[in-house]
Amino acid sequence: VPRTGEVVFDKVTFTYPGAEQPVLADISFTARRGTTTAIIGSTGAGKTTLISLIPRLHDATSGTVSVGGVDVREAQLESLWARIGLVPQRPYLFAGTVGSNLRYGREEATDEELWDALAIAQGEDFVRAMPETLDSPIAQGGTTVSGGQRQRLSIARALVRQPDVLIFDDSFSALDTATDARLRAALDREVTDATVIVVAQRVSSIVDADQILVMEDGRIVDRGTHSELLQTSPTYQEIVST
Ligand code: GTP
Ligand code: MG
């Protein structure tokens, strides 16, 4: 398996089992290593479904999804998952400690690596302020941390795994705009050779993306950079103005 984490969707269609209508239709795009691809669109457009095809949480009904040049259906699941860091839309934490939650997926990570990931995820300060820092207990479901803290721990967990493909599903929504901006600047600086895919609601979270895919009803209706889409995409203009 080549190291490169390039993600390619080629004419992908997806229908949920038992459903009548496809949720994704004719999705084609390439997300290159070292670049950020953003996906924006209204609720129910199919963003979460789209990214779920990358680690094979579902399989495309037709078309192909490949990672690093390999059709995901032909990749060994364990090695595919080892290369993908997915921060889910609803982040989850296990009963345990901050450290054990961050190590989930890479048990051998050192404390230093956990702190490095926390620094990028803007979680360093609040974890250092906890009485037992990395050994602080987390209750089941993460009820002892706020929603924004849970998001940052979930982001740090994905970073600890040093994946080739990093996927954020609406992962910055619970962060204030200043924290969001610092986090993205740190990602830009520190995570330079991963393929980054960002699902976002807030346009401010994706203005710097190398390409933005605008989704509507399971289709990519427009694509380009922020400034290109401002000129060419009525759908994007509407998203920006709301
Ligand atoms: P937001 O997260 O709300 O912004 O939406 P999204 O763009 O992530 O949409 P998502 O991919 O979650 O859903 C797209 C469509 O698929 C919607 O019409 C959902 O109702 C439908 N859908 C999502 N999950 C399932 C599922 O497990 N089964 C079925 N049958 N439909 C689903
Ligand atoms: Mg979603």
Side-chain angles (χ1 to χ4, degrees):
V1 181
R3 273 291 292 173
T4 159
E6 183 162 289
V7 174
V8 180
F9 276 60
D10 185 26
K11 299 191 187 71
V12 169
T13 299
F14 177 72
T15 306
Y16 277 103
E20 290 186 356
Q21 296 290 328
V23 168
L24 299 175
D26 198 26
I27 301 286
S28 296
F29 71 92
T30 298
R32 294 206 162 76
R33 179 179 184 190
T35 72
T36 297
T37 295
I39 304 173
I40 198 161
S42 53
T43 181
K47 306 179 296 295
T48 296
T49 305
L50 186 157
I51 58 165
S52 75
L53 303 185
I54 302 169
R56 286 191 69 190
L57 303 183
H58 300 290
D59 274 332
T61 308
S62 65
T64 47
V65 176
S66 62
V67 174
V70 176
D71 184 336
V72 292
R73 278 171 299 208
E74 270 139 42
Q76 200 216 346
L77 260 190
E78 212 172 315
S79 69
L80 180 69
W81 286 351
R83 306 172 66 213
I84 298 172
L86 169 62
V87 183
Q89 193 163 13
R90 283 188 216 86
Y92 52 87
L93 296 174
F94 307 104
T97 63
V98 170
S100 67
N101 268 281
L102 294 178
R103 280 196 178 88
Y104 174 72
R106 201 163 142 256
E107 298 300 324
E108 69 277 18
T110 64
D111 281 4
E112 198 187 345
E113 288 173 317
L114 302 190
W115 286 116
D116 287 346
L118 284 168
I120 298 170
Q122 307 302 303
E124 190 180 359
D125 291 350
F126 79 80
V127 174
R128 279 207 197 283
M130 289 173 154
E132 297 168 83
T133 68
L134 291 174
D135 296 324
S136 302
I138 296 274
Q140 193 164 12
T143 47
T144 44
V145 295
S146 74
Q149 290 173 336
R150 186 162 44 228
Q151 262 186 347
R152 284 176 276 173
L153 292 176
S154 185
I155 291 165
R157 173 196 285 155
L159 293 170
V160 165
R161 303 175 64 230
Q162 300 177 349
D164 295 334
V165 183
L166 247 178
I167 307 168
F168 299 103
D169 191 355
D170 203 14
S171 303
F172 313 125
S173 56
L175 307 178
D176 59 76
T177 48
T179 307
D180 181 8
R182 278 200 303 275
L183 198 156
R184 281 180 296 105
L187 278 174
D188 256 9
R189 208 168 49 236
E190 308 288 341
V191 182
T192 49
D193 56 6
T195 302
V196 180
I197 299 177
V198 178
V199 172
Q201 302 282 348
R202 233 183 354 225
V203 170
S204 63
S205 303
I206 59 162
V207 284
D208 299 327
D210 297 283
Q211 69 172 335
I212 300 169
L213 311 176
V214 183
M215 283 191 77
E216 211 174 54
D217 287 337
R219 290 174 183 276
I220 298 173
V221 292
D222 290 306
R223 65 182 79 203
T225 62
H226 175 71
S227 57
E228 287 164 359
L229 288 167
L230 283 179
Q231 305 282 328
T232 59
S233 171
T235 312
Y236 191 73
Q237 287 158 10
E238 192 171 320
I239 294 167
V240 171
S241 64
T242 51

Short mmCIF file of all heavy atoms in Angstrom, two decimals, residues 20-77:
data_model
loop_
_atom_site.label_atom_id
_atom_site.label_comp_id
_atom_site.label_asym_id
_atom_site.label_seq_id
_atom_site.Cartn_x
_atom_site.Cartn_y
_atom_site.Cartn_z
N GLU A 20 -35.19 4.08 -0.72
CA GLU A 20 -35.52 4.12 -2.14
C GLU A 20 -34.63 5.08 -2.92
O GLU A 20 -34.21 4.79 -4.03
CB GLU A 20 -36.99 4.49 -2.32
CG GLU A 20 -37.91 3.37 -1.85
CD GLU A 20 -39.37 3.64 -2.14
OE1 GLU A 20 -39.69 4.73 -2.64
OE2 GLU A 20 -40.18 2.75 -1.84
N GLN A 21 -34.39 6.23 -2.32
CA GLN A 21 -33.63 7.26 -3.02
C GLN A 21 -32.15 7.18 -2.67
O GLN A 21 -31.81 6.98 -1.50
CB GLN A 21 -34.14 8.65 -2.60
CG GLN A 21 -35.57 8.93 -3.01
CD GLN A 21 -35.71 9.09 -4.51
OE1 GLN A 21 -34.79 9.57 -5.17
NE2 GLN A 21 -36.84 8.68 -5.05
N PRO A 22 -31.29 7.38 -3.67
CA PRO A 22 -29.87 7.48 -3.32
C PRO A 22 -29.60 8.73 -2.49
O PRO A 22 -30.25 9.75 -2.68
CB PRO A 22 -29.17 7.58 -4.69
CG PRO A 22 -30.22 7.89 -5.68
CD PRO A 22 -31.54 7.49 -5.10
N VAL A 23 -28.67 8.61 -1.55
CA VAL A 23 -28.29 9.74 -0.70
C VAL A 23 -27.09 10.46 -1.32
O VAL A 23 -26.88 11.64 -1.09
CB VAL A 23 -27.98 9.23 0.72
CG1 VAL A 23 -27.30 10.29 1.56
CG2 VAL A 23 -29.26 8.77 1.40
N LEU A 24 -26.31 9.72 -2.11
CA LEU A 24 -25.19 10.32 -2.84
C LEU A 24 -25.32 9.93 -4.31
O LEU A 24 -25.61 8.78 -4.62
CB LEU A 24 -23.85 9.80 -2.31
CG LEU A 24 -23.51 10.09 -0.85
CD1 LEU A 24 -22.19 9.40 -0.47
CD2 LEU A 24 -23.41 11.59 -0.60
N ALA A 25 -25.10 10.89 -5.19
CA ALA A 25 -25.21 10.62 -6.62
C ALA A 25 -24.04 11.25 -7.36
O ALA A 25 -23.77 12.44 -7.20
CB ALA A 25 -26.54 11.18 -7.16
N ASP A 26 -23.36 10.43 -8.13
CA ASP A 26 -22.31 10.91 -9.04
C ASP A 26 -21.27 11.80 -8.36
O ASP A 26 -20.99 12.90 -8.80
CB ASP A 26 -22.97 11.67 -10.21
CG ASP A 26 -22.01 11.79 -11.39
OD1 ASP A 26 -21.11 10.94 -11.52
OD2 ASP A 26 -22.15 12.76 -12.16
N ILE A 27 -20.72 11.29 -7.27
CA ILE A 27 -19.72 12.05 -6.52
C ILE A 27 -18.32 11.72 -7.05
O ILE A 27 -17.88 10.57 -6.96
CB ILE A 27 -19.77 11.71 -5.01
CG1 ILE A 27 -21.15 12.01 -4.41
CG2 ILE A 27 -18.65 12.41 -4.25
CD1 ILE A 27 -21.45 13.46 -4.21
N SER A 28 -17.65 12.71 -7.61
CA SER A 28 -16.27 12.53 -8.06
C SER A 28 -15.42 13.70 -7.57
O SER A 28 -15.80 14.85 -7.75
CB SER A 28 -16.18 12.48 -9.59
OG SER A 28 -16.86 11.36 -10.11
N PHE A 29 -14.33 13.39 -6.92
CA PHE A 29 -13.37 14.42 -6.54
C PHE A 29 -12.07 13.75 -6.11
O PHE A 29 -12.04 12.55 -5.84
CB PHE A 29 -13.91 15.33 -5.41
CG PHE A 29 -14.00 14.66 -4.06
CD1 PHE A 29 -12.96 14.73 -3.15
CD2 PHE A 29 -15.14 13.96 -3.70
CE1 PHE A 29 -13.03 14.11 -1.91
CE2 PHE A 29 -15.24 13.33 -2.47
CZ PHE A 29 -14.18 13.41 -1.57
N THR A 30 -11.00 14.53 -6.09
CA THR A 30 -9.72 14.05 -5.59
C THR A 30 -9.27 14.95 -4.46
O THR A 30 -9.26 16.17 -4.60
CB THR A 30 -8.66 14.08 -6.72
OG1 THR A 30 -9.10 13.20 -7.76
CG2 THR A 30 -7.30 13.63 -6.21
N ALA A 31 -8.93 14.35 -3.32
CA ALA A 31 -8.36 15.08 -2.19
C ALA A 31 -6.89 14.71 -2.09
O ALA A 31 -6.57 13.55 -1.83
CB ALA A 31 -9.10 14.74 -0.90
N ARG A 32 -6.02 15.66 -2.36
CA ARG A 32 -4.59 15.36 -2.45
C ARG A 32 -3.90 15.47 -1.10
O ARG A 32 -4.30 16.24 -0.24
CB ARG A 32 -3.92 16.31 -3.45
CG ARG A 32 -4.39 16.09 -4.85
CD ARG A 32 -3.39 16.50 -5.91
NE ARG A 32 -3.78 15.85 -7.16
CZ ARG A 32 -4.80 16.27 -7.92
NH1 ARG A 32 -5.46 17.36 -7.58
NH2 ARG A 32 -5.14 15.62 -9.01
N ARG A 33 -2.85 14.71 -1.00
CA ARG A 33 -1.99 14.75 0.17
C ARG A 33 -1.45 16.17 0.38
O ARG A 33 -1.08 16.85 -0.58
CB ARG A 33 -0.82 13.79 -0.07
CG ARG A 33 0.16 13.74 1.03
CD ARG A 33 1.23 12.77 0.68
NE ARG A 33 2.15 12.64 1.80
CZ ARG A 33 3.30 12.01 1.75
NH1 ARG A 33 3.68 11.43 0.64
NH2 ARG A 33 4.06 11.94 2.81
N GLY A 34 -1.43 16.60 1.64
CA GLY A 34 -0.90 17.93 1.94
C GLY A 34 -1.86 19.06 1.64
O GLY A 34 -1.48 20.22 1.75
N THR A 35 -3.09 18.72 1.27
CA THR A 35 -4.07 19.77 1.00
C THR A 35 -5.31 19.55 1.86
O THR A 35 -5.51 18.49 2.44
CB THR A 35 -4.51 19.80 -0.48
OG1 THR A 35 -5.35 18.67 -0.75
CG2 THR A 35 -3.31 19.78 -1.42
N THR A 36 -6.13 20.61 1.92
CA THR A 36 -7.39 20.52 2.66
C THR A 36 -8.56 20.63 1.70
O THR A 36 -8.64 21.56 0.90
CB THR A 36 -7.49 21.66 3.70
OG1 THR A 36 -6.43 21.49 4.64
CG2 THR A 36 -8.82 21.62 4.43
N THR A 37 -9.45 19.65 1.78
CA THR A 37 -10.70 19.66 1.01
C THR A 37 -11.83 19.90 2.00
O THR A 37 -11.93 19.19 3.00
CB THR A 37 -10.90 18.32 0.29
OG1 THR A 37 -9.86 18.15 -0.68
CG2 THR A 37 -12.26 18.26 -0.41
N ALA A 38 -12.63 20.91 1.74
CA ALA A 38 -13.76 21.20 2.62
C ALA A 38 -15.05 20.79 1.94
O ALA A 38 -15.19 20.88 0.72
CB ALA A 38 -13.79 22.69 2.96
N ILE A 39 -15.99 20.33 2.75
CA ILE A 39 -17.32 19.95 2.25
C ILE A 39 -18.34 20.76 3.02
O ILE A 39 -18.36 20.75 4.26
CB ILE A 39 -17.58 18.45 2.43
CG1 ILE A 39 -16.48 17.63 1.77
CG2 ILE A 39 -18.95 18.08 1.87
CD1 ILE A 39 -16.55 16.14 2.04
N ILE A 40 -19.16 21.51 2.29
CA ILE A 40 -20.15 22.35 2.95
C ILE A 40 -21.49 22.11 2.27
O ILE A 40 -21.55 21.73 1.10
CB ILE A 40 -19.70 23.85 2.92
CG1 ILE A 40 -20.46 24.67 3.94
CG2 ILE A 40 -19.79 24.45 1.52
CD1 ILE A 40 -19.79 25.99 4.28
N GLY A 41 -22.56 22.30 3.00
CA GLY A 41 -23.89 22.10 2.44
C GLY A 41 -24.90 21.98 3.56
O GLY A 41 -24.53 21.72 4.70
N SER A 42 -26.17 22.11 3.21
CA SER A 42 -27.19 22.17 4.25
C SER A 42 -27.34 20.81 4.94
O SER A 42 -26.83 19.79 4.48
CB SER A 42 -28.52 22.63 3.67
OG SER A 42 -28.84 21.82 2.57
N THR A 43 -28.06 20.81 6.04
CA THR A 43 -28.27 19.59 6.81
C THR A 43 -29.01 18.56 5.95
O THR A 43 -29.92 18.92 5.20
CB THR A 43 -29.00 19.92 8.13
OG1 THR A 43 -29.16 18.71 8.86
CG2 THR A 43 -30.35 20.55 7.90
N GLY A 44 -28.55 17.32 5.99
CA GLY A 44 -29.15 16.27 5.19
C GLY A 44 -28.61 16.18 3.77
O GLY A 44 -29.03 15.34 2.99
N ALA A 45 -27.64 17.03 3.43
CA ALA A 45 -27.09 17.04 2.06
C ALA A 45 -26.30 15.77 1.74
O ALA A 45 -26.12 15.42 0.58
CB ALA A 45 -26.20 18.27 1.85
N GLY A 46 -25.81 15.09 2.79
CA GLY A 46 -25.08 13.84 2.57
C GLY A 46 -23.61 13.91 2.95
O GLY A 46 -22.83 13.01 2.61
N LYS A 47 -23.21 14.92 3.69
CA LYS A 47 -21.80 15.12 4.02
C LYS A 47 -21.24 13.98 4.87
O LYS A 47 -20.18 13.43 4.58
CB LYS A 47 -21.62 16.48 4.73
CG LYS A 47 -22.19 17.66 3.95
CD LYS A 47 -22.02 18.98 4.68
CE LYS A 47 -22.77 19.10 5.99
NZ LYS A 47 -24.25 19.06 5.84
N THR A 48 -21.96 13.66 5.95
CA THR A 48 -21.50 12.59 6.84
C THR A 48 -21.49 11.25 6.10
O THR A 48 -20.57 10.45 6.25
CB THR A 48 -22.38 12.52 8.10
OG1 THR A 48 -22.23 13.75 8.82
CG2 THR A 48 -21.99 11.36 9.01
N THR A 49 -22.52 11.03 5.30
CA THR A 49 -22.57 9.79 4.52
C THR A 49 -21.36 9.70 3.60
O THR A 49 -20.72 8.65 3.49
CB THR A 49 -23.88 9.74 3.71
OG1 THR A 49 -24.99 9.91 4.60
CG2 THR A 49 -24.02 8.42 2.98
N LEU A 50 -21.04 10.80 2.94
CA LEU A 50 -19.91 10.80 2.00
C LEU A 50 -18.61 10.38 2.71
O LEU A 50 -17.93 9.46 2.25
CB LEU A 50 -19.77 12.20 1.38
CG LEU A 50 -18.74 12.36 0.27
CD1 LEU A 50 -19.11 13.57 -0.60
CD2 LEU A 50 -17.33 12.56 0.79
N ILE A 51 -18.30 11.03 3.82
CA ILE A 51 -17.02 10.70 4.47
C ILE A 51 -17.04 9.29 5.07
O ILE A 51 -15.99 8.68 5.22
CB ILE A 51 -16.61 11.74 5.53
CG1 ILE A 51 -17.69 11.84 6.59
CG2 ILE A 51 -16.28 13.08 4.89
CD1 ILE A 51 -17.21 12.56 7.82
N SER A 52 -18.23 8.77 5.38
CA SER A 52 -18.29 7.43 5.98
C SER A 52 -17.88 6.34 4.99
O SER A 52 -17.60 5.21 5.39
CB SER A 52 -19.70 7.15 6.51
OG SER A 52 -20.60 6.87 5.45
N LEU A 53 -17.83 6.69 3.71
CA LEU A 53 -17.41 5.69 2.72
C LEU A 53 -15.88 5.51 2.72
O LEU A 53 -15.38 4.50 2.22
CB LEU A 53 -17.87 6.09 1.31
CG LEU A 53 -19.37 6.33 1.10
CD1 LEU A 53 -19.65 6.60 -0.37
CD2 LEU A 53 -20.20 5.15 1.59
N ILE A 54 -15.15 6.48 3.26
CA ILE A 54 -13.68 6.41 3.20
C ILE A 54 -13.15 5.28 4.10
O ILE A 54 -12.39 4.43 3.62
CB ILE A 54 -13.05 7.79 3.51
CG1 ILE A 54 -13.56 8.83 2.50
CG2 ILE A 54 -11.51 7.70 3.46
CD1 ILE A 54 -13.21 10.27 2.86
N PRO A 55 -13.55 5.21 5.37
CA PRO A 55 -13.13 4.05 6.18
C PRO A 55 -14.07 2.84 6.05
O PRO A 55 -13.99 1.92 6.86
CB PRO A 55 -13.16 4.61 7.61
CG PRO A 55 -14.19 5.68 7.58
CD PRO A 55 -14.30 6.20 6.18
N ARG A 56 -14.92 2.86 5.05
CA ARG A 56 -15.85 1.75 4.78
C ARG A 56 -16.85 1.50 5.89
O ARG A 56 -17.18 0.34 6.19
CB ARG A 56 -15.08 0.46 4.48
CG ARG A 56 -14.44 0.45 3.11
CD ARG A 56 -13.94 -0.93 2.75
NE ARG A 56 -15.03 -1.88 2.52
CZ ARG A 56 -14.86 -3.18 2.38
NH1 ARG A 56 -13.65 -3.70 2.46
NH2 ARG A 56 -15.89 -3.97 2.18
N LEU A 57 -17.32 2.57 6.52
CA LEU A 57 -18.45 2.39 7.44
C LEU A 57 -19.66 1.96 6.61
O LEU A 57 -20.57 1.30 7.09
CB LEU A 57 -18.72 3.68 8.22
CG LEU A 57 -17.51 4.20 9.01
CD1 LEU A 57 -17.87 5.44 9.80
CD2 LEU A 57 -16.95 3.12 9.94
N HIS A 58 -19.67 2.40 5.34
CA HIS A 58 -20.59 1.89 4.33
C HIS A 58 -19.78 1.68 3.05
O HIS A 58 -18.76 2.32 2.87
CB HIS A 58 -21.72 2.89 4.03
CG HIS A 58 -22.54 3.24 5.22
ND1 HIS A 58 -23.40 2.37 5.82
CD2 HIS A 58 -22.62 4.38 5.93
CE1 HIS A 58 -23.99 2.95 6.84
NE2 HIS A 58 -23.53 4.18 6.94
N ASP A 59 -20.31 0.83 2.17
CA ASP A 59 -19.67 0.67 0.86
C ASP A 59 -20.50 1.37 -0.20
O ASP A 59 -21.74 1.35 -0.16
CB ASP A 59 -19.56 -0.82 0.51
CG ASP A 59 -18.30 -1.44 1.08
OD1 ASP A 59 -17.31 -0.70 1.26
OD2 ASP A 59 -18.31 -2.65 1.35
N ALA A 60 -19.81 2.01 -1.15
CA ALA A 60 -20.49 2.67 -2.26
C ALA A 60 -21.39 1.66 -2.97
O ALA A 60 -21.04 0.48 -3.10
CB ALA A 60 -19.46 3.24 -3.23
N THR A 61 -22.55 2.14 -3.42
CA THR A 61 -23.46 1.28 -4.19
C THR A 61 -22.91 1.10 -5.60
O THR A 61 -22.97 0.02 -6.18
CB THR A 61 -24.87 1.89 -4.21
OG1 THR A 61 -25.27 2.18 -2.86
CG2 THR A 61 -25.88 0.96 -4.85
N SER A 62 -22.38 2.18 -6.17
CA SER A 62 -21.63 2.06 -7.43
C SER A 62 -20.51 3.08 -7.42
O SER A 62 -20.51 4.02 -6.62
CB SER A 62 -22.56 2.25 -8.63
OG SER A 62 -23.05 3.57 -8.64
N GLY A 63 -19.56 2.91 -8.33
CA GLY A 63 -18.39 3.78 -8.34
C GLY A 63 -17.34 3.28 -7.36
O GLY A 63 -17.54 2.26 -6.69
N THR A 64 -16.21 3.98 -7.30
CA THR A 64 -15.13 3.54 -6.42
C THR A 64 -14.59 4.66 -5.53
O THR A 64 -14.54 5.82 -5.94
CB THR A 64 -13.92 2.97 -7.19
OG1 THR A 64 -13.61 3.88 -8.24
CG2 THR A 64 -14.18 1.59 -7.75
N VAL A 65 -14.21 4.25 -4.34
CA VAL A 65 -13.51 5.13 -3.39
C VAL A 65 -12.14 4.52 -3.21
O VAL A 65 -12.03 3.31 -2.95
CB VAL A 65 -14.25 5.17 -2.03
CG1 VAL A 65 -13.46 6.01 -1.02
CG2 VAL A 65 -15.67 5.70 -2.20
N SER A 66 -11.09 5.32 -3.39
CA SER A 66 -9.76 4.77 -3.15
C SER A 66 -8.94 5.67 -2.23
O SER A 66 -9.15 6.88 -2.17
CB SER A 66 -9.02 4.53 -4.47
OG SER A 66 -8.84 5.75 -5.15
N VAL A 67 -8.06 5.03 -1.49
CA VAL A 67 -7.15 5.73 -0.59
C VAL A 67 -5.74 5.30 -0.96
O VAL A 67 -5.46 4.10 -1.00
CB VAL A 67 -7.44 5.40 0.89
CG1 VAL A 67 -6.38 6.02 1.81
CG2 VAL A 67 -8.83 5.87 1.30
N GLY A 68 -4.88 6.26 -1.28
CA GLY A 68 -3.51 5.92 -1.66
C GLY A 68 -3.46 5.02 -2.88
O GLY A 68 -2.60 4.15 -2.98
N GLY A 69 -4.41 5.22 -3.79
CA GLY A 69 -4.40 4.46 -5.03
C GLY A 69 -5.01 3.08 -4.94
O GLY A 69 -5.04 2.34 -5.92
N VAL A 70 -5.51 2.71 -3.76
CA VAL A 70 -6.08 1.36 -3.59
C VAL A 70 -7.59 1.48 -3.34
O VAL A 70 -8.02 2.22 -2.45
CB VAL A 70 -5.41 0.63 -2.40
CG1 VAL A 70 -6.06 -0.71 -2.16
CG2 VAL A 70 -3.92 0.49 -2.66
N ASP A 71 -8.37 0.76 -4.12
CA ASP A 71 -9.81 0.67 -3.90
C ASP A 71 -10.05 0.21 -2.46
O ASP A 71 -9.51 -0.83 -2.06
CB ASP A 71 -10.39 -0.34 -4.91
CG ASP A 71 -11.91 -0.44 -4.84
OD1 ASP A 71 -12.50 -0.13 -3.78
OD2 ASP A 71 -12.50 -0.84 -5.86
N VAL A 72 -10.83 0.96 -1.69
CA VAL A 72 -10.99 0.60 -0.27
C VAL A 72 -11.59 -0.80 -0.10
O VAL A 72 -11.36 -1.45 0.92
CB VAL A 72 -11.84 1.63 0.52
CG1 VAL A 72 -11.09 2.95 0.66
CG2 VAL A 72 -13.20 1.83 -0.10
N ARG A 73 -12.33 -1.27 -1.10
CA ARG A 73 -12.90 -2.61 -0.99
C ARG A 73 -11.83 -3.69 -1.12
O ARG A 73 -12.06 -4.84 -0.77
CB ARG A 73 -13.99 -2.82 -2.04
CG ARG A 73 -15.32 -2.22 -1.60
CD ARG A 73 -16.33 -2.24 -2.71
NE ARG A 73 -15.85 -1.46 -3.83
CZ ARG A 73 -16.67 -0.85 -4.70
NH1 ARG A 73 -17.97 -0.94 -4.56
NH2 ARG A 73 -16.17 -0.15 -5.69
N GLU A 74 -10.68 -3.31 -1.66
CA GLU A 74 -9.60 -4.28 -1.78
C GLU A 74 -8.54 -4.13 -0.70
O GLU A 74 -7.63 -4.95 -0.58
CB GLU A 74 -8.95 -4.18 -3.17
CG GLU A 74 -9.63 -5.10 -4.17
CD GLU A 74 -9.81 -4.45 -5.52
OE1 GLU A 74 -8.86 -3.78 -5.98
OE2 GLU A 74 -10.89 -4.61 -6.11
N ALA A 75 -8.66 -3.08 0.10
CA ALA A 75 -7.67 -2.86 1.16
C ALA A 75 -8.02 -3.73 2.35
O ALA A 75 -9.18 -4.07 2.58
CB ALA A 75 -7.68 -1.39 1.57
N GLN A 76 -7.00 -4.08 3.12
CA GLN A 76 -7.24 -4.79 4.36
C GLN A 76 -7.78 -3.78 5.36
O GLN A 76 -7.20 -2.70 5.56
CB GLN A 76 -5.93 -5.41 4.85
CG GLN A 76 -6.11 -6.52 5.83
CD GLN A 76 -5.04 -6.52 6.89
OE1 GLN A 76 -4.02 -5.84 6.75
NE2 GLN A 76 -5.28 -7.25 7.96
N LEU A 77 -8.93 -4.09 6.00
CA LEU A 77 -9.61 -3.10 6.84
C LEU A 77 -8.72 -2.54 7.93
O LEU A 77 -8.70 -1.33 8.16
CB LEU A 77 -10.84 -3.74 7.50
CG LEU A 77 -12.20 -3.44 6.85
CD1 LEU A 77 -13.32 -3.92 7.76
CD2 LEU A 77 -12.36 -1.96 6.53
#
